[in-house]
Amino acid sequence: MKIGIVCYPTFGGSGVVATELGKALAKEGHQVHFITYSQPSRLDFLNENLFYHEVEFRSYPLFEYPPYELALASKMVSVVKNEGLDLLHVHYAIPHASAAYMAKQILKTHGIYIPVVTTLHGTDITLVGKDASYEPVVTFSINQSDGVTSVSEDLKRETYYSFKITNEIEVIPNFIDLEKFKKQKKDHFKKAICPNGEALIVHTSNFRKVKRVMDVVHVFNNIHKVVPSKLLMIGDGPERQPAETLARELGINDAVRFLGKLEAVEEVLSVADLFLMPSEKESFGLAALEAMACEVPVISSNTGGLPELNIQGVTGFMSNVGDVEDMTRKALFILDKDNLPQFKLNAVARAREFDITQILPLYEKYYERVLEKAQALKGLQTS
Ligand code: GMT
């Protein structure tokens, strides 16, 4: 198949899923064309089946807001035509699904029918998409897609609840490459951070409000009072500075290190004992899956799709959003030396269920179904 993938090329979860999916499809022999405004950060390997097309958009003094969506739709039209794509797969509804709809209509006037698959990732539905300034366009473009997938059952429910959706939504969960995300021997690194055998707690995110980064600092502060421990904060975003200030105010700044964005997160996860994800909303929780793959149990909130990943009392624990005391109690239970080894084994066993080798065929089969449906429709129109 020749597949066009549209995504945000940044560090966010949807971009990571889209890029890893494209890489895996290319390894399987499909031809994959990424269409984005810059090189996706995880598009870091060479394969004869991988192509990258940059969306260039010119500004003009008249434009206070450059019309990116138009430039993207135009680029989709040219890539579909010039490369003979079979299908467009857009990740994150806004604005990719509506740009794809426009490209599809333009291509129809050239006698080309390009099926569009839209994958809903989370905040495109739960936060941004619901907003009145986007809702009609999001509803319309989901309903106009030839296929729609969501990354969890919860996100599917939420989408049907919040929008008037007439399309079927297929759940295909996030996945992990266990060749990359696995526990590596990094004893020297652990020794450098925890010279006295302290427990190592890790949080990774884009430090947006929805991640409740302050809860991470509060939970750690409580743990630190009982168990000698260190906290590594990976990623960057608007809540980083307030979190650093809070750590200083609580007097734990020596035990907390902010590392910023890291390429090789798996190296840090390899030496971690516990992962914290107290998010307000989380459609799946890819960062928690990455931790679990590296044998790290998870303390998370019980929101969104997290109960579909983190099994209560087995791979970690869940608490209500904002219940810092409950999260602390459960974290201390996991960190007990009699409990930790089993939680670690359970975490990686669960992660194996989301191995890319299990999930990739689901996408391939779904593409085939969408293409068959499109062919049948074309047949009806020409007969
Ligand atoms: O977590 C983020 O804020 C980034 C966001 C994105 O779209 O880039 O992640 C969402 O998509 C991921 C991949 O499908 C999911 O694993 C995350 O749970 C989801 N984030 C939220 O729902 C907040």
Side-chain angles (χ1 to χ4, degrees):
M1 261 181 262
K2 287 188 176 182
I3 303 154
I5 291 188
V6 178
C7 64
Y8 283 105
T10 44
F11 273 82
S14 61
V16 169
V17 167
T19 313
E20 295 295 341
L21 174 63
K23 283 157 65 175
L25 286 164
K27 277 190 201 157
E28 283 299 300
H30 301 287
Q31 205 180 83
V32 178
H33 294 260
F34 283 93
I35 306 170
T36 61
Y37 58 77
S38 68
Q39 177 99 2
S41 52
R42 290 244 186 134
L43 196 57
D44 51 2
F45 94 137
L46 274 178
N47 181 300
E48 57 183 358
N49 293 327
L50 274 180
F51 300 82
Y52 164 61
H53 308 267
E54 187 165 312
V55 181
E56 296 137 21
F57 52 108
R58 290 214 177 83
S59 203
Y60 184 70
L62 202 59
F63 302 153
E64 195 174 349
Y65 307 102
Y68 172 66
E69 197 176 337
L70 301 188
L72 175 61
S74 296
K75 195 68 178 183
M76 285 190 221
V77 169
S78 86
V79 177
V80 170
K81 273 180 75 176
N82 297 333
E83 306 291 343
L85 299 191
D86 299 307
L87 182 134
L88 276 174
H89 186 176
V90 303
H91 291 259
Y92 208 88
I94 305 168
H96 301 151
S98 44
Y101 172 76
M102 196 187 299
K104 189 165 126 177
Q105 297 313 310
I106 296 168
L107 285 159
K108 265 190 197 163
T109 67
H110 297 248
I112 297 170
Y113 187 90
I114 184 80
V116 172
V117 172
T118 298
T119 289
L120 311 174
H121 279 274
T123 49
D124 45 353
I125 295 299
T126 56
L127 284 179
V128 197
K130 271 184 192 171
D131 192 281
S133 47
Y134 298 114
E135 182 280 321
V137 178
V138 171
T139 304
F140 177 80
S141 42
I142 291 176
N143 284 333
Q144 291 296 321
S145 297
D146 299 84
V148 184
T149 76
S150 83
V151 299
S152 63
E153 290 290 345
D154 183 80
L155 184 60
K156 174 179 171 174
R157 271 193 299 275
E158 174 90 27
T159 308
Y160 281 127
Y161 180 78
S162 305
F163 302 84
K164 284 199 170 62
I165 299 301
T166 50
N167 243 337
E168 273 291 309
I169 300 177
E170 177 94 354
V171 176
I172 305 184
N174 283 178
F175 53 80
I176 189 89
D177 180 355
L178 291 170
E179 291 293 314
K180 178 174 158 79
F181 283 87
K182 61 182 174 200
K183 193 174 175 68
Q184 305 168 12
K185 265 196 95 49
K186 294 278 167 195
D187 296 347
H188 57 288
F189 182 51
K190 177 88 182 226
K191 261 223 127 40
I193 300 169
C194 303
N196 303 309
E198 295 92 334
L200 185 61
I201 325 280
V202 173
H203 169 78
T204 72
S205 77
N206 48 24
F207 286 64
R208 283 191 270 143
K209 270 245 176 300
V210 71
K211 300 293 176 180
R212 295 189 68 96
V213 179
M214 300 305 165
D215 286 2
V216 173
V217 178
H218 282 298
V219 172
F220 175 71
N221 183 41
N222 290 343
I223 295 173
H224 187 251
K225 285 178 190 157
V226 183
V227 173
S229 45
K230 294 283 175 80
L231 173 66
L232 289 184
M233 302 285 267
I234 303 170
D236 211 343
E239 292 292 284
R240 176 177 170 171
Q241 198 53 55
E244 288 195 48
T245 305
L246 178 63
R248 253 194 314 277
E249 281 167 6
L250 292 169
I252 51 171
N253 44 316
D254 282 349
V256 185
R257 282 178 71 172
F258 289 80
L259 300 182
K261 288 177 186 164
L262 279 189
E263 289 288 345
V265 183
E266 64 278 8
E267 292 183 7
V268 177
L269 292 172
S270 287
V271 293
D273 297 299
L274 187 67
F275 187 81
L276 296 180
M277 181 177 261
S279 307
E280 180 91 37
K281 290 179 191 294
E282 201 67 61
S283 65
F284 181 88
L286 180 62
L289 174 59
E290 291 178 344
M292 286 159 72
C294 297
E295 300 182 25
V296 187
V298 172
I299 290 287
S300 72
S301 56
N302 53 11
T303 190
L306 284 169
E308 294 167 50
L309 171 67
N310 190 14
I311 306 171
Q312 186 78 312
V314 178
T315 58
F317 285 102
M318 292 176 293
S319 308
N320 291 333
V321 172
D323 195 341
V324 165
E325 297 309 320
D326 193 53
M327 289 181 193
T328 306
R329 266 192 304 278
K330 288 168 169 165
L332 290 172
F333 181 85
I334 293 178
L335 290 173
D336 186 299
K337 68 176 187 340
D338 292 334
N339 300 332
L340 189 57
Q342 190 59 50
F343 274 101
K344 284 181 175 246
L345 292 177
N346 295 348
V348 67
R350 178 71 175 148
R352 283 194 200 108
E353 296 175 37
F354 298 92
D355 186 9
I356 187 151
T357 56
Q358 311 284 325
I359 308 299
L360 184 68
L362 303 183
Y363 274 113
E364 288 177 296
K365 285 198 189 97
Y366 190 68
Y367 291 162
E368 280 160 19
R369 268 166 52 201
V370 167
L371 283 172
E372 273 167 27
K373 211 170 79 184
Q375 280 300 336
L377 269 176
K378 225 162 116 185
L380 275 180
Q381 280 164 7
T382 50
S383 66

